[in-house]
Amino acid sequence: MNQITKDQKQKIFLSSLLMIGLVYCYFNFLLDPLTKQDRVHRSQIETLEGKLAKAKTAVKRSKSVQDQAQSAEETLAQVGDMIPDGAPIAWFPPRIRAFFDRHALKGASVRPGTLDAAPDPAMHNFRNADWSIDLPQAGIIPLGIALAGLENEEKLLEITHLQISTLAESPEKQHVSMNVATLIK
Amino acid sequence: MPLTLNLLHEQQFLLKQSKRDPLKLGLYALGGVAALFVLYYGYRFAQSSAVDSELSARKAEWAKQEPAARAAETQETEYTARVATAALVAKRIDNRFYWGPLLGTLLKAIPPTVQIVNFNGTNETHADKVTLTLEGVVTGDVPRLVADKFRGELTGALGKTYQGVETSFRSLDESSGSVTFNGKTTPTAHFTIEVKMNKPGAEPAATPAAPARARR
């Protein structure tokens, strides 16, 4: 009675096949794709979170640089105001002559020198202009005062060469020649 | 013991057989496992949906942030360039070499026994040092000593204001002439002194290491 019949054996075999099929189909066609999709989505989230963090940092950094840029803008605007519009030959020599005239150093002559790009590429908005200034007669003390005044008034100007020679005919007077460099637009 | 005859034996046997049918039992088990699988799949699907919705939220956030980040990066480049330009202009203005105060210092340092006839100062844009050449006439009982004393005093006077002052004679020649100074006739000498000093903002030159003592 307890012997398994052939028919029962076949049914057990069929049930086992069905069970195996169910497990295979479940894992292969349902659970695995879901897991894979999940994994892909999680890695995409991680990538996006990294990108978002970077983006937020970039925005923050830009804001902090913006604050610095505002004061830089003010500096550049002040520098821009120091440089008159127009060709430098039109405004620089008269300005310098007028300055030395105000300091009782008459007869100053100003000649243009080289005009080239500013030495640093970051200063591409500016150019460097060299000039030669000649003062035929100057007392040493008024000259010192005038040079100090020139350096204070003309903040973009730098004297690159200065020659003071005593005049043989009047030893209390000197002949002065100098080269100056200025920033222009 | 009475003898009983079960006339339903066949029928009961078939019923029992039907209850123990392996296919039927297998199908029941299959159904149970399938139900468990469905429950678990539902749980996993819910989890996956949460991940999906999180991804969608991140994508939407990125769609908002990306243009802002790009704009911020572009602006940052512009701002940085402006800040760099302003810094360079400010550095150029701040690190200028001022000749007015230098002339003041020189005038104070020149004694009555010395007359400068020619002053030549060079401040090259890319050089770290300013070079001065002073040509003059000196008088005194021993003009060479007076000239050397003047050089020392000049070094001291300039050293109070400027860094890395170095002075040296390029020439010092006694001349045949003489001058009357304070009612006394004294010989003269011509000199040329070269002065070198650091520009403001220039890095000080490295001090050379002391040479190691030679072992005996």
Side-chain angles (χ1 to χ4, degrees):
Chain A
M1 285 295 280
N2 287 334
Q3 286 282 319
I4 300 170
T5 60
K6 190 185 174 188
D7 181 50
Q8 280 178 329
K9 277 182 185 171
Q10 282 174 346
K11 284 179 178 175
I12 288 168
F13 180 70
L14 185 62
S15 299
S16 305
L17 272 184
L18 281 173
M19 183 62 86
I20 290 166
L22 174 74
V23 170
Y24 177 79
C25 290
Y26 177 73
F27 282 102
N28 215 29
F29 300 122
L30 288 175
L31 210 56
D32 266 6
L34 194 67
T35 310
K36 277 178 191 167
Q37 185 192 326
D38 221 18
R39 205 178 298 142
V40 169
H41 285 181
R42 278 182 200 281
S43 78
Q44 281 179 349
I45 287 171
E46 271 178 27
T47 313
L48 279 175
E49 276 176 349
K51 282 182 179 176
L52 281 167
K54 274 186 188 171
K56 279 174 187 168
T57 314
V59 171
K60 263 189 194 171
R61 208 172 45 221
S62 170
K63 276 181 185 164
S64 74
V65 177
Q66 192 177 4
D67 296 338
Q68 293 174 29
Q70 277 175 354
S71 65
E73 280 295 332
E74 285 169 18
T75 308
L76 290 176
Q78 283 173 358
V79 170
D81 290 344
M82 290 179 205
I83 306 170
D85 293 327
I89 191 74
W91 55 265
F92 187 78
R95 192 152 118 172
I96 295 299
R97 272 198 295 271
F99 174 85
F100 283 116
D101 283 349
R102 280 205 309 278
H103 285 79
L105 298 171
K106 305 283 182 191
S109 69
V110 183
R111 290 188 307 279
T114 55
L115 177 67
D116 46 21
D120 202 293
M123 291 169 73
H124 62 275
N125 293 336
F126 297 98
R127 287 180 298 162
N128 194 62
D130 292 323
W131 307 86
S132 300
I133 301 172
D134 202 73
L135 294 166
Q137 279 198 338
I140 190 70
I141 291 172
L143 175 70
I145 293 167
L147 286 186
L150 183 71
E151 286 168 335
N152 279 334
E153 270 185 37
E154 299 287 339
K155 296 199 186 310
L156 301 179
L157 176 146
E158 186 172 25
I159 298 169
T160 54
H161 181 251
L162 176 67
Q163 183 164 20
I164 306 167
S165 312
T166 308
L167 292 173
E169 62 272 19
S170 65
E172 73 277 6
K173 295 283 184 187
Q174 280 83 29
H175 173 259
V176 181
S177 64
M178 62 182 112
N179 293 342
V180 299
T182 48
L183 273 187
I184 57 169
K185 284 178 193 167
Chain B
M1 189 177 171
L3 184 68
T4 53
L5 190 64
N6 187 3
L7 296 175
L8 296 171
H9 169 74
E10 256 327 284
Q11 210 174 352
Q12 283 172 350
F13 177 75
L14 282 176
L15 189 68
K16 202 175 175 184
Q17 282 288 88
S18 155
K19 277 185 183 173
R20 290 175 58 190
D21 183 14
L23 187 61
K24 195 175 157 189
L25 290 175
L27 282 175
Y28 284 154
L30 208 63
V33 170
L36 284 175
F37 279 179
V38 166
L39 279 176
Y40 183 67
Y41 185 79
Y43 166 70
R44 288 299 317 276
F45 189 79
Q47 273 187 334
S48 184
S49 296
V51 172
D52 267 2
S53 59
E54 195 183 338
L55 178 64
S56 302
R58 291 283 184 276
K59 277 183 178 169
E61 198 180 348
W62 175 241
K64 273 186 196 170
Q65 286 280 341
E66 192 189 11
R70 278 193 187 164
E73 276 174 11
T74 316
Q75 280 179 339
E76 192 188 339
T77 314
E78 283 174 24
Y79 292 150
T80 310
R82 282 183 210 164
V83 169
T85 308
L88 281 170
V89 171
K91 190 179 167 192
R92 182 184 162 122
I93 292 171
D94 293 342
N95 289 351
R96 285 182 301 160
F97 184 80
Y98 294 99
W99 293 88
L102 174 75
L103 290 183
T105 309
L106 279 179
L107 284 179
K108 282 179 195 161
I110 297 170
T113 50
V114 174
Q115 188 193 4
I116 304 294
V117 293
N118 195 18
F119 168 91
N120 209 327
T122 308
N123 168 31
E124 295 287 346
T125 315
H126 299 293
D128 292 335
K129 287 189 178 268
V130 173
T131 310
L132 313 175
T133 310
L134 304 167
E135 283 177 51
V137 183
V138 65
T139 187
D141 292 332
V142 186
R144 280 178 177 271
L145 289 180
V146 177
D148 195 42
K149 190 181 169 198
F150 167 60
R151 188 189 63 80
E153 285 170 357
L154 186 67
T155 312
L158 292 173
K160 284 177 188 167
T161 316
Y162 304 98
Q163 299 284 317
V165 178
E166 295 166 20
T167 56
S168 59
F169 280 110
R170 270 168 62 180
S171 70
L172 178 57
D173 302 314
E174 279 152 348
S175 58
S176 54
S178 58
V179 294
T180 304
F181 181 69
N182 285 341
K184 190 179 169 188
T185 304
T186 48
T188 59
H190 285 278
F191 67 86
T192 306
I193 295 175
E194 190 176 76
V195 182
K196 283 185 178 176
M197 52 200 180
N198 291 348
K199 276 188 186 181
E203 292 289 323
T207 313
R213 276 190 180 178
R215 282 189 185 175
R216 286 185 181 175

